[in-house]
């Protein structure tokens, strides 16, 4: 009998040829919908505010055992195309390497799960449901992607019992790391208002820089925490201090500072906002200036406590790689920060150190290996 399984490497290449730079859909979700509907999945486009999203389900709606997968097909811009060895949307293969924007992050992960899911429903249909929630907004503002999918699912009575996010999680080798949580992230823009004047007549001006320097030093030296059992210490990084003042003989009218805090589950976005506001008020009182602090929380810290779900994934990884994966919360944010409010969520995917680079590429052998692991995860889940 001929092998009718979906080839995840070919599917990855087909997805790479879709120029889906955020917020463009580029044909990627159209392709996936075609593949999934042909395999018997019920599909719905859940587009919102120009962002393309795809929901797909095989099996009964509302089943108590619904395995979910979350991923994205949008990619970051290519940069200078002349710097690429191969055109970034041509999906050129050289030996084991498949080149293209999104090869690592994360069209290969989506292709691997789709191939695993299609194989299962065609050969051993699960006693339950398989749900895919694929967005085109993970690399962008992330306001109308996975968030829109989850809100639509709630309104439609659709639910995932557990969810696997297929982001690249492995630092060096397929199987060396699983993400069971993520740090939170808060951005702040702090403005110190002064009064412009001539440097020779400081009494006629009010220099905002001493207050800004004091505040920057105070925030940088503060130890937020020492870390927890599953999280590294929280850290604050100042990313810019600007005055917009090109002259050396002018006291600037204002100074602006931008910073980011990556925080663990000892904090919340609200508690850190309150702390920043208090620190600004203290420095403002000492220096006699006005300080305004505006914050934006891009995600709260969360943890899926080690247990049955992470054990199941770790067992499948160990079975096929020979590695015992580290359970980690390191790295940046992902859409798991939204999914964790819906159901238990764990992340596992390919090696990620080439994502977003010029000449982004993925190992075809790793794509095949990830597909085998995803297939085993599905089998283990539905076999109980």
């Amino acid at each position: 009998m001929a092998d009718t399984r979906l080839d995840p490497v070919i599917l990855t290449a087909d997805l790479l040829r879709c120029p889906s730079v955020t917020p463009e859909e580029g044909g990627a979700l159209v392709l996936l919908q075609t593949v999934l509907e042909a395999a018997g999945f019920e599909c719905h486009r859940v587009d919102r505010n120009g962002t393309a999203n795809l929901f797909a389900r095989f099996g009964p709606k509302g089943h108590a055992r619904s395995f979910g997968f979350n991923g994205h097909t949008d990619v970051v811009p290519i940069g200078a195309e002349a710097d690429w060895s191969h055109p970034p949307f041509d999906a050129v293969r050289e030996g084991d390497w498949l080149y293209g924007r999104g090869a690592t992050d994360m069209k290969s992960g989506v292709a691997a799960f789709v191939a695993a899911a299609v194989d299962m429903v065609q050969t051993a249909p699960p006693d339950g449901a398989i749900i895919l929630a694929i967005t085109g907004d993970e690399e962008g503002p992330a306001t109308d992607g996975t968030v829109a999918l989850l809100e639509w699912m709630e309104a439609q009575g659709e639910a995932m019992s557990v969810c696997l996010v297929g982001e690249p999680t492995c630092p060096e080798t397929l199987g060396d790391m699983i993400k069971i949580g993520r740090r939170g992230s808060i951005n702040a823009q702090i403005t110190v208002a002064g009064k412009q004047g001539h440097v020779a007549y400081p009494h006629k001006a009010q220099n905002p820089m001493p207050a800004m320097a004091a505040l920057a030093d105070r925030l940088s030296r503060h130890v937020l925490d020492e870390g927890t059992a599953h999280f590294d210490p929280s850290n604050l990084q100042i990313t810019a201090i600007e005055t917009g003042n090109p002259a050396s003989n002018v006291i600037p009218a204002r100074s602006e500072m931008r910073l980011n805090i990556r925080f663990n589950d000892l904090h919340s976005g609200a508690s850190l906002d309150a702390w920043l506001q208090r620190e600004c008020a203290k420095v403002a009182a000492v220096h006699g200036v006005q300080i305004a602090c505006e914050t934006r929380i891009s995600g709260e810290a969360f943890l899926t406590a080690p247990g049955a779900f992470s054990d199941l994934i770790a067992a499948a990884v160990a079975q096929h790689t020979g590695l015992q994966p580290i359970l980690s919360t390191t790295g940046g944010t992902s859409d798991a920060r939204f999914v964790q409010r819906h159901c238990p969520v764990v992340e596992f995917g390919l090696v990620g150190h080439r994502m977003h680079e010029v000449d982004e590429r993925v190992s075809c052998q790793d794509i095949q290996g990830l597909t085998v692991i995803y297939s085993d995860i599905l089998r283990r889940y539905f076999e109980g």
Side-chain angles (χ1 to χ4, degrees):
M1 175 181 277
D3 188 349
T4 59
R5 288 177 297 181
L6 195 62
D7 188 325
V9 175
I10 293 176
L11 181 56
T12 299
D14 289 342
L15 288 170
L16 291 177
R17 295 186 184 99
C18 300
S20 51
V21 178
T22 306
E24 297 299 322
E25 185 271 331
L29 293 182
V30 173
L31 170 61
L32 290 175
Q33 182 170 351
T34 300
V35 169
L36 289 165
E37 284 183 337
F41 282 78
E42 179 182 332
C43 293
H44 299 273
R45 283 288 292 271
V46 190
D47 298 1
R48 189 170 81 179
N49 295 331
T51 294
N53 302 299
L54 177 66
F55 172 88
R57 172 176 42 77
F58 184 95
K61 179 178 179 179
H63 198 283
R65 293 178 62 78
S66 296
F67 190 101
F69 176 84
N70 173 252
H72 65 92
T73 55
D74 62 316
V75 300
V76 298
I78 63 172
E81 185 169 354
D83 293 339
W84 286 70
S85 301
H86 306 286
F89 297 113
D90 278 10
V92 173
R93 182 168 178 175
E94 274 190 0
D96 184 49
W97 294 111
L98 182 61
Y99 286 76
R101 175 57 84 220
T104 300
D105 188 14
M106 60 166 289
K107 290 181 174 180
S108 51
V110 171
F113 190 85
V114 169
V118 166
D119 180 56
M120 165 160 269
V121 302
Q122 291 182 338
T123 59
D127 179 18
I130 299 177
I131 291 174
L132 292 90
I134 311 296
T135 181
D137 186 38
E138 198 274 346
E139 301 289 8
T143 54
D144 295 299
T146 295
V147 172
L149 280 162
L150 292 170
E151 290 176 355
W152 179 89
M153 287 171 62
E154 183 178 1
Q156 298 296 319
E158 300 277 5
M160 300 179 288
S161 304
V162 295
C163 184
L164 173 64
V165 175
E167 287 281 358
T169 59
C170 301
E172 300 295 336
T173 305
L174 178 63
D176 61 9
M177 184 173 287
I178 293 170
K179 298 291 178 72
I180 59 169
R182 292 279 187 165
R183 295 179 297 173
S185 176
I186 181 171
N187 295 291
Q189 179 163 313
I190 298 173
T191 303
V192 179
K195 181 181 179 183
Q196 185 172 316
H198 196 293
V199 295
Y201 305 96
H203 57 286
K204 294 185 177 182
Q206 187 177 42
N207 195 335
M209 294 306 296
M212 182 61 83
L215 181 59
D217 179 63
R218 186 183 182 95
L219 296 179
S220 294
R221 287 190 296 107
H222 181 75
V223 177
L224 288 163
D225 57 71
E226 300 292 342
T228 69
H230 295 288
F231 284 92
D232 291 335
S234 302
N235 76 91
L236 180 152
Q237 296 296 322
I238 294 171
T239 57
I241 297 179
E242 300 169 347
T243 64
N245 177 27
S248 60
N249 61 348
V250 174
I251 293 172
R254 57 195 286 134
S255 178
E256 294 182 349
M257 174 168 61
R258 293 190 296 276
L259 61 85
N260 175 268
I261 304 174
R262 296 298 169 105
F263 58 94
N264 58 38
D265 54 352
L266 293 175
H267 309 273
S268 67
S271 69
L272 289 169
D273 173 77
W275 170 70
L276 287 169
Q277 302 295 344
R278 290 194 301 270
E279 294 300 299
C280 288
K282 291 174 184 176
V283 172
V286 170
H287 289 265
V289 295
Q290 293 183 339
I291 302 180
C293 177
E294 297 181 359
T295 61
R296 181 176 62 84
I297 302 165
S298 54
E300 297 285 356
F302 74 91
L303 177 72
T304 299
F309 188 36
S310 58
D311 288 349
L312 182 151
I313 294 173
V317 171
Q319 174 69 32
H320 297 284
T321 67
L323 300 175
Q324 188 59 47
I326 296 169
L327 303 183
S328 172
T329 59
T330 58
T333 58
S334 76
D335 278 2
R337 69 190 190 272
F338 306 125
V339 179
Q340 59 92 17
R341 298 194 292 265
H342 178 90
C343 67
V345 58
V346 171
E347 299 177 61
F348 177 70
L350 293 173
V351 177
H353 57 72
R354 291 186 177 88
M355 57 185 170
H356 296 196
E357 292 184 354
V358 167
D359 280 345
E360 183 177 352
R361 58 196 183 274
V362 64
S363 161
C364 295
Q365 182 176 340
D366 279 359
I367 298 175
Q368 298 284 7
L370 182 63
T371 305
V372 170
I373 294 170
Y374 283 168
S375 293
D376 194 21
I377 289 170
L378 288 171
R379 180 188 62 78
R380 289 169 184 262
Y381 178 77
F382 287 109
E383 288 181 356

